Amino acid sequence: MLDMPLVVGVDGSDSSLTAVDWAVDEAARRGLSLRLVYASLWERYEGFLPGGPESLSEQAMVERVVDLATERARLRDPEVKSTTAILPQDAADALVGAGETAFAVVTGARGRSGPAGLLLGSVGLTVAARARCPVIVVRGDRAALTGTHERILLGAGDPDTGGAGAARFALDEARVRGCVLDAVRAWRTPLYEIADHALRPGGVEDRHARRASAELDEVLDGPAADHPDVLVRRTAVEGAARKVLVERSAAADLVVIGARHRHGHGGFQLGRVAHRLLHHAHCPVAVVPQQVPQQP
């Protein structure tokens, strides 16, 4: 069976070391190995300065960062196997490439400054928008990082855009942790219906709430059938999804959302909900690429 490791981006920052801790715990839960990846351009330019002081200094620094991350992972859980890779590439390109044969890619929410660092804050956003595997950006308070809440939060997307992928990931995460899944579908009354809503109290609102509940069931029913032991709490909530999910993330250990990759002027782009969560969630965020159904 092909080993699908959990890839972790490291750059020596406190945030990346926190990501290593989280990834070790996740690898232990799932029986995965780790692959610690540092992306640096120093090897690309080393040939122009063979043995030069800049080259040697950068090489020593990179090796030190990787060694420290490896030792940290070993001390966290000696049973989790790890390998390392120092890649002469742009950080985002390296992690996206490593994700081609990975279970998931894990990054910190912030990186160290300087031209040689992974700059994980911006790299995490780019990788989440481009990777073909789930990407987890590790952020949040100690309670969330240590799994104290015993709750996984799923932001259920539109069933027409492949939302079942994120649902499967969230259900499986709840299974391996032995915790509850809080599945939420946010809805809002369109502005053009506000006047009608005022004339017929409850009518429009009830219709949208019922529709949201039905969409939530459509996303969850298939995947939930494969996870009968997971307790799922389904809630349709009125409000902007990005606001609702950020608020609820304060009581979760991981928030899971789907990402429908969209081409924009700057390449792939994440939606507003993903951007808000990646910047403001109170717990780690898993972005799961969606398999959009093909049109007949």
Side-chain angles (χ1 to χ4, degrees), residues 92-106:
D93 289 343
L95 291 176
V96 170
E100 292 289 333
T101 55
F103 172 79
V105 173
V106 180

PDB file of all heavy atoms in Angstrom, residues 92-106:
ATOM      1  N   ALA A  92       5.482  27.715  -1.801  1.00  0.00           N
ATOM      2  CA  ALA A  92       4.147  27.264  -2.178  1.00  0.00           C
ATOM      3  C   ALA A  92       4.225  26.160  -3.223  1.00  0.00           C
ATOM      4  O   ALA A  92       3.516  25.152  -3.130  1.00  0.00           O
ATOM      5  CB  ALA A  92       3.318  28.439  -2.691  1.00  0.00           C
ATOM      6  N   ASP A  93       5.082  26.320  -4.228  1.00  0.00           N
ATOM      7  CA  ASP A  93       5.220  25.292  -5.260  1.00  0.00           C
ATOM      8  C   ASP A  93       5.670  23.970  -4.651  1.00  0.00           C
ATOM      9  O   ASP A  93       5.183  22.895  -5.027  1.00  0.00           O
ATOM     10  CB  ASP A  93       6.242  25.734  -6.311  1.00  0.00           C
ATOM     11  CG  ASP A  93       5.732  26.866  -7.182  1.00  0.00           C
ATOM     12  OD1 ASP A  93       4.505  27.102  -7.198  1.00  0.00           O
ATOM     13  OD2 ASP A  93       6.567  27.519  -7.837  1.00  0.00           O
ATOM     14  N   ALA A  94       6.596  24.043  -3.695  1.00  0.00           N
ATOM     15  CA  ALA A  94       7.121  22.829  -3.068  1.00  0.00           C
ATOM     16  C   ALA A  94       6.039  22.081  -2.305  1.00  0.00           C
ATOM     17  O   ALA A  94       5.915  20.856  -2.411  1.00  0.00           O
ATOM     18  CB  ALA A  94       8.281  23.182  -2.135  1.00  0.00           C
ATOM     19  N   LEU A  95       5.248  22.806  -1.535  1.00  0.00           N
ATOM     20  CA  LEU A  95       4.223  22.156  -0.724  1.00  0.00           C
ATOM     21  C   LEU A  95       3.072  21.636  -1.583  1.00  0.00           C
ATOM     22  O   LEU A  95       2.514  20.571  -1.313  1.00  0.00           O
ATOM     23  CB  LEU A  95       3.710  23.115   0.348  1.00  0.00           C
ATOM     24  CG  LEU A  95       4.725  23.445   1.441  1.00  0.00           C
ATOM     25  CD1 LEU A  95       4.157  24.490   2.402  1.00  0.00           C
ATOM     26  CD2 LEU A  95       5.130  22.190   2.209  1.00  0.00           C
ATOM     27  N   VAL A  96       2.706  22.383  -2.622  1.00  0.00           N
ATOM     28  CA  VAL A  96       1.678  21.898  -3.535  1.00  0.00           C
ATOM     29  C   VAL A  96       2.162  20.613  -4.215  1.00  0.00           C
ATOM     30  O   VAL A  96       1.415  19.640  -4.346  1.00  0.00           O
ATOM     31  CB  VAL A  96       1.312  22.961  -4.582  1.00  0.00           C
ATOM     32  CG1 VAL A  96       0.433  22.364  -5.682  1.00  0.00           C
ATOM     33  CG2 VAL A  96       0.588  24.128  -3.917  1.00  0.00           C
ATOM     34  N   GLY A  97       3.415  20.603  -4.629  1.00  0.00           N
ATOM     35  CA  GLY A  97       3.971  19.404  -5.250  1.00  0.00           C
ATOM     36  C   GLY A  97       4.027  18.234  -4.294  1.00  0.00           C
ATOM     37  O   GLY A  97       3.666  17.107  -4.652  1.00  0.00           O
ATOM     38  N   ALA A  98       4.456  18.489  -3.058  1.00  0.00           N
ATOM     39  CA  ALA A  98       4.516  17.419  -2.061  1.00  0.00           C
ATOM     40  C   ALA A  98       3.125  16.880  -1.761  1.00  0.00           C
ATOM     41  O   ALA A  98       2.951  15.707  -1.427  1.00  0.00           O
ATOM     42  CB  ALA A  98       5.175  17.939  -0.780  1.00  0.00           C
ATOM     43  N   GLY A  99       2.112  17.747  -1.887  1.00  0.00           N
ATOM     44  CA  GLY A  99       0.743  17.328  -1.615  1.00  0.00           C
ATOM     45  C   GLY A  99       0.182  16.373  -2.646  1.00  0.00           C
ATOM     46  O   GLY A  99      -0.853  15.745  -2.403  1.00  0.00           O
ATOM     47  N   GLU A 100       0.844  16.232  -3.798  1.00  0.00           N
ATOM     48  CA  GLU A 100       0.340  15.320  -4.834  1.00  0.00           C
ATOM     49  C   GLU A 100       0.310  13.881  -4.359  1.00  0.00           C
ATOM     50  O   GLU A 100      -0.499  13.075  -4.824  1.00  0.00           O
ATOM     51  CB  GLU A 100       1.218  15.441  -6.089  1.00  0.00           C
ATOM     52  CG  GLU A 100       1.110  16.762  -6.820  1.00  0.00           C
ATOM     53  CD  GLU A 100      -0.226  16.925  -7.529  1.00  0.00           C
ATOM     54  OE1 GLU A 100      -0.835  15.892  -7.891  1.00  0.00           O
ATOM     55  OE2 GLU A 100      -0.667  18.071  -7.708  1.00  0.00           O
ATOM     56  N   THR A 101       1.206  13.531  -3.439  1.00  0.00           N
ATOM     57  CA  THR A 101       1.257  12.159  -2.917  1.00  0.00           C
ATOM     58  C   THR A 101       1.118  12.155  -1.400  1.00  0.00           C
ATOM     59  O   THR A 101       1.693  11.301  -0.719  1.00  0.00           O
ATOM     60  CB  THR A 101       2.577  11.480  -3.318  1.00  0.00           C
ATOM     61  OG1 THR A 101       3.685  12.287  -2.884  1.00  0.00           O
ATOM     62  CG2 THR A 101       2.656  11.281  -4.825  1.00  0.00           C
ATOM     63  N   ALA A 102       0.350  13.103  -0.863  1.00  0.00           N
ATOM     64  CA  ALA A 102       0.190  13.224   0.588  1.00  0.00           C
ATOM     65  C   ALA A 102      -1.256  13.043   0.999  1.00  0.00           C
ATOM     66  O   ALA A 102      -2.181  13.290   0.210  1.00  0.00           O
ATOM     67  CB  ALA A 102       0.690  14.587   1.066  1.00  0.00           C
ATOM     68  N   PHE A 103      -1.457  12.626   2.237  1.00  0.00           N
ATOM     69  CA  PHE A 103      -2.803  12.587   2.797  1.00  0.00           C
ATOM     70  C   PHE A 103      -3.328  14.004   2.970  1.00  0.00           C
ATOM     71  O   PHE A 103      -4.492  14.298   2.693  1.00  0.00           O
ATOM     72  CB  PHE A 103      -2.780  11.866   4.151  1.00  0.00           C
ATOM     73  CG  PHE A 103      -4.090  11.955   4.892  1.00  0.00           C
ATOM     74  CD1 PHE A 103      -5.148  11.136   4.543  1.00  0.00           C
ATOM     75  CD2 PHE A 103      -4.253  12.873   5.918  1.00  0.00           C
ATOM     76  CE1 PHE A 103      -6.357  11.230   5.207  1.00  0.00           C
ATOM     77  CE2 PHE A 103      -5.464  12.968   6.587  1.00  0.00           C
ATOM     78  CZ  PHE A 103      -6.527  12.149   6.233  1.00  0.00           C
ATOM     79  N   ALA A 104      -2.443  14.902   3.432  1.00  0.00           N
ATOM     80  CA  ALA A 104      -2.794  16.307   3.620  1.00  0.00           C
ATOM     81  C   ALA A 104      -1.506  17.100   3.809  1.00  0.00           C
ATOM     82  O   ALA A 104      -0.449  16.534   4.090  1.00  0.00           O
ATOM     83  CB  ALA A 104      -3.707  16.498   4.827  1.00  0.00           C
ATOM     84  N   VAL A 105      -1.612  18.411   3.641  1.00  0.00           N
ATOM     85  CA  VAL A 105      -0.493  19.329   3.894  1.00  0.00           C
ATOM     86  C   VAL A 105      -0.861  20.192   5.088  1.00  0.00           C
ATOM     87  O   VAL A 105      -1.973  20.717   5.170  1.00  0.00           O
ATOM     88  CB  VAL A 105      -0.203  20.210   2.669  1.00  0.00           C
ATOM     89  CG1 VAL A 105       0.854  21.269   3.007  1.00  0.00           C
ATOM     90  CG2 VAL A 105       0.265  19.368   1.491  1.00  0.00           C
ATOM     91  N   VAL A 106       0.090  20.345   6.009  1.00  0.00           N
ATOM     92  CA  VAL A 106      -0.121  21.131   7.222  1.00  0.00           C
ATOM     93  C   VAL A 106       0.865  22.290   7.238  1.00  0.00           C
ATOM     94  O   VAL A 106       2.062  22.099   6.995  1.00  0.00           O
ATOM     95  CB  VAL A 106       0.092  20.269   8.485  1.00  0.00           C
ATOM     96  CG1 VAL A 106      -0.140  21.088   9.753  1.00  0.00           C
ATOM     97  CG2 VAL A 106      -0.832  19.055   8.464  1.00  0.00           C
TER      98      VAL A 106
END
